[in-house]
Amino acid sequence: MTPPVPIHARIEEIASEIVRLQGELDREIFKRRDALGWRLHEGFVEFEHGVVMEHRRLRRSAAAFVASAPPATVLTSPVIYSLILPLALIDLWASAYQAVCFRAYRLPRVRRRDYLVFDREALAYLNWIERLNCWFCEYANGVAAYVREIASRTEQYWCPIKHALKVTSPHRRYQDFVEYGDAEGYRDRLSRLRAALRTEPSTTGIGN
């Protein structure tokens, strides 16, 4: 009879499969880029000849865009954009937090520029209102990802324990945490998880 695979080993096996599938997905995305006629060169988007002209032809004017928008969209837009204030505050506060505390813990700091990505302004088929909307979403989601990475490193340092209840979309570090209720494992692995965190590169943000 074949002995059962240890739970932790099985989790690592599944995590490795996820990494493999992510690589396969990235390759398919690169193929899609070629089909749409653009590529990245030294961090900048470059379109094939003629693509930009076609994009400009398909752009709707800002006036037409507003005229076609539902009244509720126009009325609620000030509420949406008011979020820029708390977002900017948490962006600033999280940056100050890791600058002080991560240095004290000897942890690698999260590079903000790897999470806040602004590149949709290169799309000529967007009018200025659509570009403004894109900028807001890029900033809001970038700040959320940036703060989440700071929080996940903090959790790995202070409390790397899985929850008893199901967590929706846990951060990428969560699967390496100690199982809920494993007292011996917690004492044994806490120092190792902290040491592993200290030896990480300065960032593990999104790729191109």
Side-chain angles (χ1 to χ4, degrees), residues 82-114:
S82 70
L83 287 171
I84 198 68
L85 297 176
L87 284 169
L89 181 60
I90 194 171
D91 182 7
L92 177 63
W93 213 303
S95 297
Y97 157 71
Q98 72 159 349
V100 174
C101 296
F102 279 19
R103 183 176 284 111
Y105 308 151
R106 295 182 290 114
L107 301 181
R109 281 178 284 171
V110 181
R111 288 197 312 192
R112 182 176 177 275
R113 66 176 178 271
D114 291 322

Side-chain angles (χ1 to χ4, degrees), residues 179-205:
E179 295 297 329
Y180 187 90
D182 184 2
E184 292 183 4
Y186 174 70
R187 297 302 173 192
D188 177 60
R189 294 185 58 204
L190 178 59
S191 59
R192 283 189 287 165
L193 284 168
R194 287 182 172 180
L197 183 58
R198 288 191 174 112
T199 58
E200 282 190 14
S202 295
T203 187
T204 47

Side-chain angles (χ1 to χ4, degrees), residues 123-182:
L123 299 172
Y125 54 83
L126 300 178
N127 59 50
W128 72 266
I129 296 178
E130 291 171 313
R131 291 186 185 189
L132 180 62
N133 291 340
C134 283
W135 181 90
F136 175 83
C137 290
E138 287 170 329
Y139 182 70
N141 285 279
V143 168
Y146 169 60
V147 172
R148 190 186 200 204
E149 178 61 17
I150 293 173
S152 74
R153 295 188 187 192
T154 302
E155 187 174 28
Q156 180 170 334
Y157 185 86
W158 286 110
C159 191
I161 302 172
K162 293 180 181 177
H163 292 279
L165 303 178
K166 178 179 173 57
V167 177
T168 301
S169 299
H171 55 73
R172 64 180 184 84
R173 301 171 185 278
Y174 184 77
Q175 298 306 329
D176 291 329
F177 285 6
V178 183
E179 295 297 329
Y180 187 90
D182 184 2

Side-chain angles (χ1 to χ4, degrees), residues 7-112:
I7 294 176
H8 189 68
R10 179 57 180 157
I11 291 174
E12 290 182 349
E13 181 183 335
I14 295 172
S16 297
E17 180 65 10
I18 292 173
V19 172
R20 185 190 68 78
L21 290 173
Q22 182 62 54
E24 187 174 328
L25 176 61
D26 290 342
R27 287 189 291 274
E28 292 300 319
I29 290 173
F30 283 128
K31 291 179 183 178
R32 183 60 176 163
R33 290 178 179 180
D34 291 337
L36 291 173
W38 67 272
R39 68 187 183 98
L40 287 176
H41 179 66
E42 296 181 352
F44 293 94
V45 178
E46 293 183 349
F47 287 95
E48 293 179 2
H49 180 70
V51 172
V52 175
M53 295 298 295
E54 179 64 12
H55 285 181
R56 288 174 178 167
R57 186 185 70 80
L58 295 171
R59 180 171 59 199
R60 284 198 304 167
S61 68
F65 178 80
V66 172
S68 65
T73 300
V74 177
L75 292 174
T76 58
S77 58
V79 179
I80 296 172
Y81 279 104
S82 70
L83 287 171
I84 198 68
L85 297 176
L87 284 169
L89 181 60
I90 194 171
D91 182 7
L92 177 63
W93 213 303
S95 297
Y97 157 71
Q98 72 159 349
V100 174
C101 296
F102 279 19
R103 183 176 284 111
Y105 308 151
R106 295 182 290 114
L107 301 181
R109 281 178 284 171
V110 181
R111 288 197 312 192
R112 182 176 177 275

